[in-house]
Each structure stands twice: as structure tokens, then as C-alpha cells.
Amino acid sequence: MTSVSPPARSRWHTLATDISSVMGIVLSLALVISMSVEAFTSPSMFERQIYNDIQLWVCLYFLAELFVMLCYAEHKGRYLLRSFPLLLLYIPYQSLFAHFAVVLSDETRYLLRLLPIVRGGVALVILTRMTIKNRINSLFVTYIVIFLVLCYFQILAFYIFEANINPLVKNYGDALWWAALTVTTLGSNIVPVTTTGKIATAVLAVIGMTTFPIFTVYITTLVQNLNRKQASPHQS
């Protein structure tokens, strides 16, 4: 009976993790694109099924991937416990609730639409840490990605729920203007009128207040490191 040596197992596990991360990003991008197309082309994105159909198949892929990785895991109980939060993101809630005729509010339905996309964010963080060896650069790129993704979803949510109700939100450009002033905490002349719009405004302001100082620290660190490198030859 042949057994897989630890180096071979490690190489296989690393390759499988890399492929899983890339596929997670690609499929999540497909979800984001389909969601955006529905938001920009339909008066009510909740009436169309393009995104729901894509989401169902993507979630089924994620569940199958988790099952395969579980079968090959050396410590299955530990792997399942560690992967349980991701399992909650893989469940196609939209399709399940639609099948059982469960009535939900628009806000809840929109939140459920975002859950599978979070899987792509997790994969992108893992892939970033693998490809960027420098710990500071890796953290910085990760923060940028998280910042951009969170901002985009807040803008999209604001646009979807405010466009047909708020007279100040006539197009997507108005939502971008609102986001630019809100995330920098300057304050926008566009005042939200829906509950989702108010929550998005508060969340976006918090994102701006917590993320911009990270950029300042990173740039300061780069300048300090550059000054040390320039000063080293003179000191030697």
C-alpha cells in the first residue's frame, strides 16, 4: 500500500489552495458583474433572475469544493470546524427561500445576495498573502482591496434603494458623488431617505475614518524606510 509523503501532500495542498483561491475570485467577480448589470439595466433588480441563477451554480460549486477538500483533509473535524464560517457563505439562501416561498424584505434579500461574494474576498486575501511576501505590503494591498469592495457595495446598495425614491439621486453619478463626500467625512448634500441608504451612509463614513489612517501609516513607513536606505551608504 503506497502512502503520500508529507512533501507531496504539502505541494498538493498548496496547489489546491491556490486554484481554489483563483476560482473563488473569478466566480465572485462573475457574481459582482451580474449583480451590477441587473442594478444598472433593470428598474427593480429583485425582479430579474440572472444573478439568482448564477449565484445558485456558484454556491453549488463552493459546496462541492468544500466537500472535496474535506475528503482530503488529514484532520476532518478540525477542517470542518475551521471552514464552518465559510460554509454559511456557500448556502444558496436566495434559491432556498424562493423555493419554499419565504417572504423577505428587500433589505434582507439584498444582504443575502452579498454573502457568496464575501467568499471571493476571503480568497483574494489568501491569494494576496501568498503572492506578496513582504508582510507590510501584503497587509496594505489587503486593506485596499477590502476598502474598494466595501465602498462599491455601499454605493451599489445606496443607488439601488435611493434611485427611485430620492429626488437627489437621478443616476449612478449622483451615488458616486455621495460616496466620495461621505467616505472622506466631508458630508454630502445628498441626504438618504431610505433605511438602507441611511445605514450605507453611516457604514461608509466609518470605513473612511478607519481606513484612511492606515494609508497614512503605510506611506509614512515607506518614507522612513527610504530615508534609512539613503542614509546607510553615508553612515558606512
Side-chain angles (χ1 to χ4, degrees):
M1 180 177 179
T2 59
S3 60
V4 180
S5 62
R9 185 188 298 275
S10 178
R11 287 194 297 270
W12 183 92
H13 185 269
T14 301
L15 178 61
T17 303
D18 292 345
I19 295 176
S20 172
S21 299
V22 173
M23 286 299 297
I25 295 171
V26 172
L27 294 176
S28 297
L29 285 176
L31 290 175
V32 172
I33 292 173
S34 60
M35 174 185 280
S36 301
V37 169
E38 284 193 352
F40 298 144
T41 59
S42 175
S44 176
M45 66 176 293
F46 299 106
E47 297 176 356
R48 303 186 63 177
Q49 295 297 319
I50 298 176
Y51 176 80
N52 290 344
D53 294 339
I54 294 177
Q55 186 191 78
L56 174 62
W57 289 105
V58 169
C59 287
L60 292 178
Y61 167 81
F62 286 153
L63 289 172
E65 176 195 66
L66 179 64
F67 178 76
V68 171
M69 297 297 288
L70 176 62
C71 292
Y72 282 95
E74 186 174 355
H75 303 285
K76 291 181 172 52
R78 187 183 306 171
Y79 177 82
L80 186 60
L81 182 63
R82 187 173 64 249
S83 304
F84 184 74
L86 291 178
L87 176 62
L88 298 178
L89 301 177
Y90 298 165
I91 300 174
Y93 297 101
Q94 289 275 108
S95 300
L96 288 177
F97 289 144
H99 178 74
F100 291 104
V102 178
V103 179
L104 301 172
S105 65
D106 287 345
E107 290 81 0
T108 303
R109 291 168 62 191
Y110 183 80
L111 178 61
L112 293 177
R113 281 169 168 252
L114 297 181
L115 289 180
I117 302 176
V118 177
R119 167 64 173 81
V122 175
L124 188 57
V125 170
I126 295 174
L127 196 61
T128 300
R129 293 183 178 275
M130 289 179 177
T131 54
I132 302 178
K133 302 302 181 182
N134 185 286
R135 183 171 179 272
I136 296 178
N137 292 339
S138 175
L139 286 174
F140 180 66
V141 173
T142 300
Y143 281 128
I144 288 180
V145 171
I146 294 175
F147 172 76
L148 293 177
V149 170
L150 290 177
C151 285
Y152 179 74
F153 286 139
Q154 296 305 315
I155 297 171
L156 197 61
F158 185 85
Y159 173 71
I160 290 171
F161 287 96
E162 295 280 333
N164 298 323
I165 299 176
N166 194 330
L168 297 177
V169 183
K170 301 180 178 64
N171 50 52
Y172 189 69
D174 294 331
L176 287 177
W177 173 253
W178 159 85
L181 295 182
T182 302
V183 78
T184 54
T185 66
L186 295 176
S188 173
N189 62 311
I190 300 177
V191 180
V193 297
T194 65
T195 302
T196 301
K198 294 175 182 178
I199 294 175
T201 301
V203 171
L204 199 58
V206 172
I207 292 173
M209 289 187 294
T210 55
T211 305
F212 284 122
I214 296 174
F215 296 158
T216 304
V217 171
Y218 178 76
I219 295 174
T220 303
T221 303
L222 287 181
V223 173
Q224 290 176 348
N225 292 338
L226 182 61
N227 291 337
R228 290 195 195 98
K229 291 180 180 179
Q230 291 177 345
S232 297
H234 300 288
Q235 293 177 353
S236 59

